[in-house]
């Protein structure tokens, strides 16, 4: 498959990120590496979406801290960004609504109709050119003009930047005003663009807990979007999927990242990180990046059992 015929993917991860760990970043990297190896996908970007403060999880620090820590954790990444939209809403948002927001936003920013898992790969997503901007994909003899996933993500990020609003309390963060008259910010030739939910096996397992998720939301998340699972602690994802009728129904829409060797980052968690901080455990440097540790110490976060 050529780069233009592969499915272009944006990985979206929702969660508390309380705090964001090296394991979270490792999950993005492993998922991208695995999807690229399949030969069917090009991951053009990653989005971290921290949960709203009203989620009510014990010990959840304020979103301004979690957003800042996330930003510090990805400051050296050229493809993962932090999106504060979820935190800035009036109340907690479901994972389904977050996915739908980003799908609608990308549709408006790029001028594309984003595909879902029910869209045949032979049916391309077609941009609606409204200006004279050159298409991203062009036939050039010069290999220096060859498009890359990073270039495409850069174009999308640039377009987002043109229509963003600055939140007054966190000046470094921006979010897109979905009420803005965007027009078409860029032009595409025919590509297929899809947003996939990135998660660990713990979230996959939560789908099997009766009453925790609405069936209608699960149908949309797994049936329309699709998910990429990076197993943790040697979890048996096959067993987990067999415990849910909806997961079984949409099993083909679930990509499990397989790794012959268990990576140390697969056992890193926010809970372990908070405990290490509370106990002054030096192993915290194995769990969190140094800029995040510095911010936590400076802000006096997680210094007691209540968070």
């Amino acid at each position: 498959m050529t780069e233009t015929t592969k499915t272009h993917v944006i990985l979206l991860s929702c969660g508390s990120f309380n705090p964001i760990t090296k394991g979270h970043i490792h999950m993005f990297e492993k998922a991208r590496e695995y999807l690229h190896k399949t030969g069917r996908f090009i991951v053009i970007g990653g989005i971290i979406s921290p949960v709203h403060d009203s989620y009510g999880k014990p010990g959840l620090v304020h979103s301004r801290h979690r957003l800042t820590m996330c930003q510090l954790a990805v400051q050296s990444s050229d493809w993962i960004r932090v999106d504060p939209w979820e935190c800035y809403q009036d109340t907690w948002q479901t994972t389904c609504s977050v996915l739908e927001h980003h799908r609608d936003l990308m549709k408006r920013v790029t001028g594309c109709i984003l595909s879902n898992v029910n869209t045949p790969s032979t049916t391309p997503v077609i941009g609606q050119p409204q200006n004279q901007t050159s298409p991203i994909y062009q036939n050039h003899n010069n290999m220096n003009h060859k498009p890359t996933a990073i270039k495409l993500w850069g174009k999308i990020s640039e377009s987002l930047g043109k229509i963003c609003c600055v939140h007054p309390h966190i000046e470094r963060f921006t979010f897109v005003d979905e009420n803005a008259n965007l027009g078409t910010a860029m032009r595409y030739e025919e590509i297929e663009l899809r947003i996939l939910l990135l998660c660990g096996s713990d979230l996959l397992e939560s789908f099997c807990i009766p009453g925790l998720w609405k069936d209608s939301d699960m149908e949309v998340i797994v049936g329309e979007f699709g998910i990429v699972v990076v197993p943790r602690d040697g979890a048996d994802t096959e067993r987990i999927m067999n415990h849910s009728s909806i997961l079984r129904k949409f099993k083909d829409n679930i990509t499990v990242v397989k790794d012959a060797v268990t990576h140390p980052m697969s056992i890193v968690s926010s809970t372990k990180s908070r405990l290490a901080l509370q106990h002054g455990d030096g192993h915290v440097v194995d769990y969190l990046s140094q800029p995040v540790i510095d911010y936590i110490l400076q802000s006096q976060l997680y210094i007691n059992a209540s968070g």
Side-chain angles (χ1 to χ4, degrees):
M1 298 178 71
T2 64
E3 190 162 323
T4 55
T5 57
K6 293 179 182 179
T7 298
H8 290 65
V9 169
I10 295 173
L11 296 172
L12 171 65
S13 180
C14 300
S16 300
F17 301 103
N18 188 44
I20 187 170
T21 70
K22 291 181 178 180
H24 290 124
I25 306 303
H26 173 74
M27 183 170 65
F28 273 94
E29 298 290 352
K30 289 300 296 181
R32 182 173 71 158
E33 178 185 1
Y34 185 81
L35 290 175
H36 285 179
K37 284 182 178 179
T38 67
R40 297 184 293 116
F41 303 99
I42 298 177
V43 177
I44 66 169
I47 299 174
I48 292 174
S49 181
V51 75
H52 192 276
D53 289 329
S54 64
Y55 181 59
K57 190 174 184 178
L60 185 67
V61 302
H62 196 278
S63 58
R64 66 185 176 89
H65 291 306
R66 291 183 288 116
L67 285 168
T68 300
M69 287 187 286
C70 287
Q71 184 66 24
L72 290 170
V74 302
Q75 62 184 349
S76 61
S77 174
D78 59 0
W79 70 281
I80 306 173
R81 71 178 182 86
V82 183
D83 190 280
W85 177 85
E86 190 176 349
C87 292
Y88 291 167
Q89 301 312 294
D90 292 333
T91 187
W92 170 76
Q93 302 293 306
T94 64
T95 300
C96 184
S97 66
V98 176
L99 282 163
E100 289 175 334
H101 161 74
H102 284 284
R103 177 183 61 189
D104 295 342
L105 183 60
M106 288 297 169
K107 184 191 305 180
R108 299 176 69 192
V109 170
T110 64
C112 287
I113 300 174
L114 271 70
S115 65
N116 56 38
V117 291
N118 297 316
T119 303
S121 59
T122 54
T123 303
V125 180
I126 303 174
Q128 305 296 324
Q130 301 291 330
N131 52 43
Q132 299 303 312
T133 303
S134 298
I136 289 179
Y137 293 113
Q138 303 180 73
N139 292 323
H140 290 296
N141 293 325
N142 188 339
M143 291 304 292
N144 291 331
H145 292 284
K146 183 178 180 180
T148 64
I150 297 303
K151 288 180 182 178
L152 180 54
W153 185 235
K155 284 288 186 180
I156 292 176
S157 297
E158 179 183 346
S159 298
L160 288 171
K162 293 178 181 178
I163 52 175
C164 64
C165 304
V166 179
H167 191 278
H169 300 301
I170 312 178
E171 294 183 358
R172 74 171 66 190
F173 290 98
T174 59
F175 68 100
V176 176
D177 180 1
E178 61 270 25
N179 297 315
N181 181 15
L182 306 183
T184 299
M186 57 194 299
R187 175 185 173 186
Y188 288 93
E189 285 188 347
E190 298 178 356
I191 64 169
E192 185 178 352
L193 179 61
R194 183 183 299 169
I195 296 177
L196 299 178
L197 179 66
L198 174 64
C199 66
S201 50
D202 51 346
L203 188 143
L204 184 71
E205 195 160 17
S206 73
F207 284 150
C208 303
I209 301 176
L212 184 61
W213 294 81
K214 290 183 179 180
D215 286 352
S216 57
D217 280 4
M218 288 179 61
E219 291 268 353
V220 172
I221 293 170
V222 189
E224 292 187 17
F225 286 92
I227 61 179
V228 179
V229 183
V230 180
R232 290 175 56 181
D233 295 331
D236 187 346
T237 54
E238 192 72 25
R239 177 191 61 79
I240 294 172
M241 288 188 283
N242 287 332
H243 271 74
S244 165
S245 60
I246 294 179
L247 294 181
R248 288 197 304 270
K249 178 181 178 182
F250 298 110
K251 191 174 181 178
D252 290 342
N253 302 342
I254 302 173
T255 300
V256 178
V257 176
K258 299 173 183 178
D259 196 345
V261 180
T262 300
H263 194 281
M265 286 298 104
S266 67
I267 62 173
V268 172
S269 69
S270 295
T271 300
K272 287 184 178 180
S273 301
R274 292 195 301 271
L275 289 173
L277 288 162
Q278 290 160 13
H279 298 149
D281 187 345
H283 285 98
V284 70
V285 297
D286 298 326
Y287 308 151
L288 308 177
S289 66
Q290 193 59 50
V292 172
I293 294 174
D294 292 342
Y295 180 84
I296 288 172
L297 296 177
Q298 177 186 349
S299 304
Q300 292 289 289
L301 304 176
Y302 311 116
I303 58 175
N304 53 57
S306 63

